[in-house]
Amino acid sequence: MSDTPPRTCPPTPHDTDLIVIGGGPAGCAAARMAASVGMCSVLVEPDALCRSLYRVAALNNVLGGCTSGPALADAITAELRSTGLCRPVLGRRVVELRADDDHITVTLDTGARLTAPYAVVATGVGPLQPRDVSWITAPGGLTLPPLWQAGADDAEGRTLLVLGGDRPIGTFLRAHPGTGTRLLVAYPDTDTYKTEEIRDDPRVTLLPVTHLTLTPSEGAPVTAEAVSAGGQREAVTADAAYLSIGSAPTAPHGDLVRGADGYCPPAGQHPRVLIAGDLRSARFQRIMTALGSGSEAALHAYYAARDLPTGG
């Protein structure tokens, strides 16, 4: 990951001081904070570090002067490279986490195992699909890409049907201010409050629905039938369809406490398991909160390992 030789970690009965599961903003922040207090870490990520940030073309809610996801991702990964105390394991997935009284054991998809006194779990979320919500009927097995994966070439001069009114729509519009596209945003009543920031954009047509039925198709155009709250039915046609329904938590099997919604709230977890980033809750899925929670989790491990009072 870096041309800089790693610093030597002190001997330990485990593989490292801290295992970080997930290499997004929260996981990277945890590894960076751990290094700042002299802790060695192993960071396991199935893709590239900060992979999702490279698809966010415009930012308006982070500190440090970064105005795009790629710029922020580059800055974060450069910071991590400079520490020499984080060993990244990229292209690998943690399939199981087990918590014992005195250590954590994680199993990788290769069968290899790693141990540490503490683990930060920051695996984040993945996009919900039409089959995951009751207000959409779609062909069996249909999988659609999230809107944030659409680039300028995908949108220029085209009409896109967006399923759901989640906030990444605003991010997409800010990222492509000059794109000649039209977004048909079909969303349920529960998403109404999320659409406030896009209501006045002339490129957006809002379609509040009680149900949407996608017609089976081998490709473009996409056709659907939208049913309004009053029972009126409207035929909808678009060049392509994208998702903005929301996200579902992704976490390894094992000793994690999950709520009814699948998220892993930090409270109530095993004392050696620290949850950070979007995996905590659907309510705080922001880059800034992810960075803060990752840093806080690493400090918690640092204080606990030394039996120090929090903030000591």
Side-chain angles (χ1 to χ4, degrees):
M1 179 178 173
S2 171
D3 295 331
T4 303
R7 302 175 195 171
T8 301
C9 291
T12 171
H14 303 292
D15 294 295
T16 188
D17 298 323
L18 181 69
I19 297 172
V20 180
I21 308 173
C28 288
R32 180 67 183 89
M33 179 60 75
S36 75
V37 292
M39 296 178 71
C40 291
S41 65
V42 173
L43 187 155
V44 184
E45 164 57 45
D47 205 308
L49 296 179
C50 294
R51 65 193 186 283
S52 295
L53 285 181
Y54 285 101
R55 294 184 180 274
V56 181
L59 296 174
N60 68 344
N61 62 348
V62 297
L63 299 173
C66 292
T67 58
S68 74
L72 180 60
D74 287 345
I76 290 173
T77 55
E79 280 283 316
L80 210 52
R81 290 190 187 100
S82 71
T83 70
L85 292 179
C86 173
R87 177 166 69 89
V89 179
L90 304 181
R92 298 271 66 93
R93 187 183 304 275
V94 171
V95 296
E96 185 179 59
L97 178 150
R98 293 297 176 191
D100 293 306
D101 289 341
D102 60 351
H103 70 280
I104 297 291
T105 302
V106 302
T107 303
L108 305 186
D109 51 6
T110 60
R113 292 180 178 176
L114 299 170
T115 65
Y118 294 89
V120 173
V121 185
T123 47
V125 296
L128 290 170
Q129 291 292 331
R131 60 182 172 272
D132 298 318
V133 295
S134 61
W135 61 275
I136 299 176
T137 298
L142 176 68
T143 299
L144 295 174
L147 182 62
W148 55 263
Q149 287 188 2
D153 292 341
D154 299 309
E156 182 59 48
R158 306 179 79 203
T159 297
L160 307 182
L161 174 61
V162 182
L163 308 183
D166 218 29
R167 290 192 175 93
I169 299 173
T171 301
F172 173 85
L173 293 168
R174 288 190 297 272
H176 307 289
T179 300
T181 188
R182 180 186 179 210
L183 300 186
L184 304 178
V185 181
Y187 62 96
D189 182 65
T190 52
D191 279 5
T192 300
Y193 75 99
K194 300 178 182 179
T195 64
E196 292 299 324
E197 68 171 309
I198 63 174
R199 286 183 176 276
D200 296 329
D201 194 301
R203 296 170 291 175
V204 173
T205 298
L206 296 177
L207 300 173
V209 302
T210 58
H211 199 82
L212 185 84
T213 300
L214 287 168
T215 302
S217 173
E218 294 297 327
V222 174
T223 59
E225 181 184 68
V227 181
S228 69
Q232 295 179 324
R233 297 176 182 272
E234 177 183 354
V236 178
T237 303
D239 294 302
Y242 288 88
L243 298 173
S244 195
I245 299 173
S247 301
T250 61
H253 296 291
D255 296 333
L256 291 174
V257 177
R258 293 170 170 81
D261 57 1
Y263 285 89
C264 300
Q269 300 291 335
H270 189 283
R272 296 187 179 277
V273 176
L274 307 166
I275 307 297
D278 291 355
L279 187 62
R280 298 172 301 158
S281 166
R283 300 187 66 183
F284 304 108
Q285 294 183 359
R286 299 289 188 275
I287 294 169
M288 285 283 281
T289 58
L291 291 167
S293 70
S295 299
E296 182 180 342
L299 279 179
H300 183 101
Y302 171 75
Y303 293 136
R306 288 154 181 79
D307 199 24
L308 297 172
T310 300

